[in-house]
Amino acid sequence: MADDTHGWTAAPGAAERARSVLAAAWSCAVTAEGTREELVGAHSVTDDGEVLLHVPEDSALLAAAICAPRGEPSAVLEFADVAPVPLRNRIRARLWLAGWFTVRDGHLVLRPTRVVLRQPAGAVVVDVDEFTAAAPDPLATAEARLLSHLADCHADAVERLTRLVDHGSLHGAVRVQPLAVDRHGLTLRIERVRSGGDVRLPFHAPADDVSQLTERMHVLLAQAGAASCPRPLQRQRADGEA
């Protein structure tokens, strides 16, 4: 589904997407000087994209940073973007940041010198200056709560939204779930017995906060209400009621 009259991008750019993954991630894997650690709830991000790792004093990573020449060992941080709704293939993207560690106030600080974002369409190297200047999607940190609520409490609305999906894309569908939402639109995951696909429903205008998102969703649902029910889902519903 597309609307050529939009004067704005109907999907986030790579730099914004990378910053959104970084903002929402709760854990990361860190590799530095041959040492690898899995950290949970141990990082924060500055406005310009620096990553601060809050590690214990006895962390091998901290020791490597302090003892390395110039105190700057090279490092790679890996973040996974996991869909909050139970699905097959829940990893929506992976983000790798490579750079140098410095020690600041007892914390490790990584300023990225290389940024790689891998999504289902493939991997892209994100320009570091664009990454530094970008801001995460305004809905990034609320997305998990919003999608879980939509899937758990409004399954009827999700089904109604399938009326906006091309009928051919719904062939063989056994389940449709919300996969992602950002200020530009909602993405649905169409699951089949052995495969699946994703369909994006762009908003008529960007949503910069949750209240605007609510209005954008109401517009989509109104559009869906005026559309006919897809035949594949009609048959699926009839089979379930039999």
Side-chain angles (χ1 to χ4, degrees):
M1 181 178 179
D3 184 347
D4 293 336
T5 64
H6 287 163
W8 46 273
T9 304
E16 179 183 346
R17 184 75 180 92
R19 290 297 298 266
S20 297
V21 171
L22 187 58
W26 180 244
S27 64
C28 66
V30 186
T31 304
E33 296 295 304
T35 298
R36 181 179 175 87
E37 291 190 18
E38 301 282 342
L39 303 178
V40 178
H43 76 275
S44 57
V45 186
T46 65
D47 289 343
D48 61 356
E50 285 187 337
V51 181
L52 281 64
L53 296 181
H54 312 277
V55 297
E57 292 183 0
D58 59 355
S59 168
L61 293 173
L62 186 58
I66 293 173
C67 299
R70 301 185 311 279
E72 297 183 343
S74 58
V76 176
L77 277 59
E78 178 183 350
F79 300 85
D81 177 35
V82 183
V85 176
L87 299 163
R88 295 195 301 263
N89 303 320
R90 292 179 67 183
I91 303 297
R92 303 180 298 188
R94 291 189 184 275
L95 175 67
W96 288 271
L97 305 179
W100 298 91
F101 271 149
T102 57
V103 180
R104 183 189 303 164
D105 298 328
H107 302 313
L108 292 176
V109 181
L110 182 129
R111 175 173 287 277
T113 58
R114 182 176 174 83
V115 179
V116 178
L117 176 68
R118 177 178 291 278
Q119 301 184 96
V124 58
V125 177
V126 181
D127 181 83
V128 174
D129 290 337
E130 291 182 4
F131 173 82
T132 299
D137 186 271
L139 303 176
T141 57
E143 184 195 24
R145 172 176 56 84
L146 294 168
L147 289 182
S148 296
H149 179 75
L150 180 60
D152 295 341
C153 303
H154 299 286
D156 57 333
V158 175
E159 180 178 344
R160 196 185 321 162
L161 288 171
T162 61
R163 299 179 184 182
L164 300 177
V165 177
D166 179 80
H167 291 190
S169 298
L170 293 169
H171 181 72
V174 296
R175 186 172 69 158
V176 178
Q177 290 276 50
L179 173 69
V181 68
D182 54 62
R183 68 191 181 105
H184 303 290
L186 173 72
T187 301
L188 300 179
R189 166 66 56 83
I190 300 172
E191 291 190 337
R192 303 177 183 87
V193 175
R194 293 187 176 86
S195 63
D198 301 335
V199 176
R200 187 166 177 82
L201 304 178
F203 299 141
H204 67 87
D208 293 328
D209 54 39
V210 174
S211 63
Q212 290 186 3
L213 172 65
T214 300
E215 188 274 338
R216 306 303 186 260
M217 290 295 296
H218 284 165
V219 170
L220 285 181
L221 288 168
Q223 294 172 346
S228 60
C229 183
R231 291 181 180 178
L233 287 191
Q234 285 179 330
R235 289 196 296 269
Q236 176 188 333
R237 185 164 53 197
D239 292 341
E241 295 172 351

